[in-house]
Amino acid sequence: MLNLLTDIEGVAVGHATDLVLGSGVTAIIFDEPAIASGSVLGGAPGGRDTVLLDPSMTVQTVDAFVLSGGSAFGLDAAGGVQAGLRQIGRGFPVGSAKVPIVPQAILMDLLNGGDKHWGLHSPYRDMGYDAFKAAGKGAFALGTVGAGTGASTATVKGGIGSASAMTSSGHRIAALLAVNAMGAATVGDGPHFWAAPFEQNGEFGGLGLPQAFTEDHAALRMKGVKLKATTIGVIVTDAFLTKAQAHRLSIMAHDGLARAVLPTHLPGDGDTIFSAATGAKPLDDMTAFAELCHLATLVTARAIARGVYEATALPVPNAQAAWRDRFDS
């Protein structure tokens, strides 16, 4: 296992990154349609086809998920991924037509110093197509790439993070998050991560928690009140789940977000987590599902910390410093 979302068989990940723009797109492509759901708990979300993920809605499966910068302009990215899927004959059958199902979530990165003067049409549809074409199995980059390119947090640069785990019954589960939080993933003004209790093998520095907590550690730290944020991501398992169970998995992943970022789910956050199950392995009982839910919380928290830990500052004037700029020594 690579400690990445691609540890789930049948899942590919691709990035499109533009450091001048200060933004990007990440595409998560499923080899076969996957049972899917999701939860939106932030107060200022942006998304496409998120309502169909409600367990009461008719469509059960998706062909891909898209995460993108660009705020509402970034919603064009799903069209690019949809075009790529249509090229290869994928999609939900509607009579003689096929419609690729591609839910998307976006984050706000319009004020990070990148060049957003793109003319009449935004670049995100083409970036979505590029991310689709780049999607592959195995290792992929973390940090300032894809949807995490322009991401930030209250204290240091945000980015793309991922983590995976295996249950005692052999089911795999993994998360991928674009960390653009209104709050902070680090404790106070120091290097320690709120997700430290769940860290595996020094994946985000191995520093643990501070020896003691002060009142200042828990003080409110967030971006300017006029800014919008959003941590967006996906949680995927190889277990066979119903759509309702997939929905529960996304809620458990939000628990991981709340353990990795303080505060979270603010009025200015658009926190959205999609969930999917490839169905490769049946679940024995509710105890096995409960363990899967537990690990959904942990891999989400770990992925968020990794996204911040792996990020690098944008190559623009007055860019937000990365964790590595401040604490790598």
Side-chain angles (χ1 to χ4, degrees), residues 2 4-8 11-13 135-141:
L2 299 173
L4 296 171
L5 190 70
T6 46
D7 286 332
I8 310 300
V11 179
V13 173
K137 309 296 178 60
F140 58 87

Side-chain angles (χ1 to χ4, degrees), residues 61 72 86 89 96 100 117 119 127 157 164 207 212 247 266-267 302 327:
T61 61
R86 187 170 182 266
S96 60
H117 298 94
M127 293 178 77
K157 176 80 172 67
S164 66
L207 298 179
H247 183 243
L266 286 164
R302 291 166 49 206
F327 306 118

Side-chain angles (χ1 to χ4, degrees), residues 115-301:
D115 182 5
K116 306 300 192 295
H117 298 94
W118 52 63
L120 181 61
H121 297 291
S122 90
Y124 289 98
R125 186 184 66 175
D126 290 340
M127 293 178 77
Y129 183 72
D130 290 343
F132 168 80
K133 297 294 286 186
K137 309 296 178 60
F140 58 87
L142 301 179
T144 303
V145 293
T149 301
S152 59
T153 75
T155 55
V156 292
K157 176 80 172 67
I160 288 283
S162 191
S164 66
M166 184 179 293
T167 70
S168 58
S169 56
H171 295 92
R172 293 187 178 190
I173 185 165
L176 183 152
L177 279 293
V179 187
N180 186 58
M182 182 74 78
T186 50
V187 180
D189 290 321
H192 303 276
F193 288 94
W194 288 111
F198 316 118
E199 185 174 12
Q200 299 289 315
N201 303 314
E203 61 196 343
F204 42 89
L207 298 179
L209 289 170
Q211 291 185 352
F213 281 89
T214 68
E215 184 176 347
D216 181 66
H217 285 148
L220 177 63
R221 286 173 174 82
M222 66 178 188
K223 298 175 186 175
V225 294
K226 293 184 179 180
L227 297 179
K228 303 299 181 184
T230 298
T231 297
I232 54 178
V234 301
I235 183 88
V236 183
T237 180
D238 61 3
F240 181 87
L241 301 183
T242 65
K243 192 176 183 182
Q245 287 175 318
H247 183 243
R248 177 56 50 185
L249 205 66
S250 71
I251 294 172
M252 298 300 296
H254 274 284
D255 288 351
L257 170 55
R259 282 164 172 77
V261 175
L262 183 73
T264 193
H265 302 138
L266 286 164
D269 279 314
D271 300 328
T272 299
I273 299 181
F274 299 136
S275 56
T278 64
K281 298 179 181 180
L283 274 177
D284 294 334
D285 51 35
M286 285 302 294
T287 301
F289 180 55
E291 184 182 4
L292 205 62
C293 289
H294 172 65
L295 289 179
T297 296
L298 303 191
V299 295
T300 300

